[in-house]
């Protein structure tokens, strides 16, 4: 099997079997293309014949070219996964990436809105105009559930059970999870569905929960635009993304006493270490409060 076909089979495996996102698959394709070019031009060898020294030289090369530790780590993940796939399918006798180490990444704390900022964002512009109802319902739901942007725009009417107070969503790796929804989000959704959505979809018949002005399923770009619009109108100067609401959801739950395992389950994290970053964030916030408020923690002018 030629090299290009091997790469395509691997990328299909990632998309179909592993459920990786389209963006991740595109990034992995780019990294493997760089490796293929490097091996052919600098090492005179094919992907399937590469040895550990050649892979190490490739990693050193992308570092010399100024790639960030995060980009280097992603490239190593793409290459390591590819060779493990070849090994598992018996196309190579050994894994040339076995001793290749990924760079240690400094875990950056995510941006989180304060509870007061969330209130301003959710309370603004409740004029009961059709798309205002939709925008409020989306923001209320995202803050109430911590859903990812892709999960929100993928919701169908049958995924929302307002009378029981939960939504069903399909997350990363095509894993299903059930997330509770609070009373304010339920009220906003009911108002949106009866006062806006039903009229819009009468022309299209779509089952999508959130739709645009044409009655079609809301796109990721449309979601970004409405969030930017509401953030600007609420007078919030910081950059806010759909993921900011997810971060805020998790941090505020933990700060009010929720246990880590429950937050992990609601976020759909496979590994609890991913959820633990929010405990660090809360400790960071507590430290700031302490330094600002404790009389012997403050530096005083002479």
């Amino acid at each position: 099997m030629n090299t290009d076909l091997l790469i395509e089979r691997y990328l299909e495996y990632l998309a179909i079997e592993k459920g990786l996102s389209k963006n991740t698959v595109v990034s992995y394709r780019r990294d493997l293309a760089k490796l293929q070019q490097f091996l052919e031009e600098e090492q005179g060898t094919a992907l399937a014949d590469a040895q550990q020294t050649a892979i190490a030289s490739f990693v050193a090369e992308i570092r010399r070219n100024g790639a960030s530790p995060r980009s280097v780590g992603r490239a190593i993940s793409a290459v390591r996964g590819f060779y493990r796939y070849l090994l598992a399918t018996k196309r190579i006798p050994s894994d040339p990436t076995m001793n290749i180490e990924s760079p240690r990444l400094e875990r950056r704390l995510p941006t989180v809105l304060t509870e007061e900022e969330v209130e301003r964002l959710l309370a603004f512009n409740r004029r009961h105009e059709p798309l205002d109802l939709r925008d409020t319902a989306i923001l209320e739901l995202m803050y109430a559930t911590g859903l990812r942007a892709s999960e929100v725009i993928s919701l169908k009417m049958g995924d929302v059970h307002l009378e029981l107070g939960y939504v069903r969503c399909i997350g990363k790796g095509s894993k299903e999870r059930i997330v509770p929804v609070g009373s304010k989000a339920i009220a906003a959704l009911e108002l949106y569905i009866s006062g806006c959505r039903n009229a819009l979809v009468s022309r299209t018949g779509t089952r999508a929960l959130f739709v645009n002005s044409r009655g079609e399923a809301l796109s990721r770009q449309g979601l970004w635009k409405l969030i930017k619009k509401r953030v600007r109108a609420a007078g919030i100067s910081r950059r806010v993304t759909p993921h900011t609401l997810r971060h805020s959801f998790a941090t505020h739950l933990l700060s009010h006493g929720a246990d880590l395992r429950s937050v992990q389950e609601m976020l759909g994290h496979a590994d609890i270490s991913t959820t633990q970053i929010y405990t660090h964030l809360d400790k960071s916030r507590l430290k700031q409060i302490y330094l600002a408020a404790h009389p012997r923690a403050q530096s005083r002018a002479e």
Side-chain angles (χ1 to χ4, degrees), residues 41 47 49 76 80 89 99 106 174 182 191 241 255 258 262:
E41 295 180 359
L47 269 175
D49 300 322
I76 291 173
R80 182 181 289 131
T89 54
N99 296 315
E106 179 181 348
S174 299
L191 194 58
T241 71
S255 68
S262 296

Side-chain angles (χ1 to χ4, degrees), residues 156-157 197-209 211 214-217:
K156 303 292 188 292
M157 284 294 293
R197 182 194 176 277
N198 290 343
L200 289 173
V201 301
S202 61
R203 290 166 280 173
T204 63
T206 180
R207 296 303 299 161
L209 173 61
V211 298
R214 298 183 300 278
E216 301 165 347

Side-chain angles (χ1 to χ4, degrees), residues 5-41:
L5 192 53
L6 280 177
I7 292 175
E8 289 305 315
R9 289 283 177 84
Y10 170 60
L11 296 175
E12 287 176 9
Y13 163 76
L14 292 181
I16 298 171
E17 300 293 331
K18 303 294 285 183
L20 267 62
S21 70
K22 182 178 178 181
N23 288 341
T24 300
V25 172
V26 168
S27 297
Y28 278 25
R29 183 192 300 278
R30 187 165 53 243
D31 291 329
L32 290 171
K34 289 179 182 178
L35 174 63
Q36 183 179 15
Q37 181 180 8
F38 174 82
L39 292 174
E40 291 174 354
E41 295 180 359

Side-chain angles (χ1 to χ4, degrees), residues 132-149:
D132 292 330
L133 296 178
R134 180 204 63 185
D135 296 352
T136 298
I138 288 175
L139 293 171
E140 285 279 9
L141 182 66
M142 293 182 75
Y143 180 61
T145 61
L147 295 187
R148 301 176 179 93

Side-chain angles (χ1 to χ4, degrees), residues 263-293:
V263 175
Q264 176 196 3
E265 184 175 345
M266 285 185 277
L267 290 173
H269 286 160
D271 191 331
I272 199 168
S273 64
T274 309
T275 318
Q276 283 174 330
I277 190 171
Y278 298 111
T279 64
H280 300 320
L281 191 67
D282 195 46
K283 288 173 185 174
S284 175
R285 184 182 66 83
L286 288 175
K287 184 176 180 181
Q288 291 173 359
I289 293 171
Y290 170 80
L291 291 175

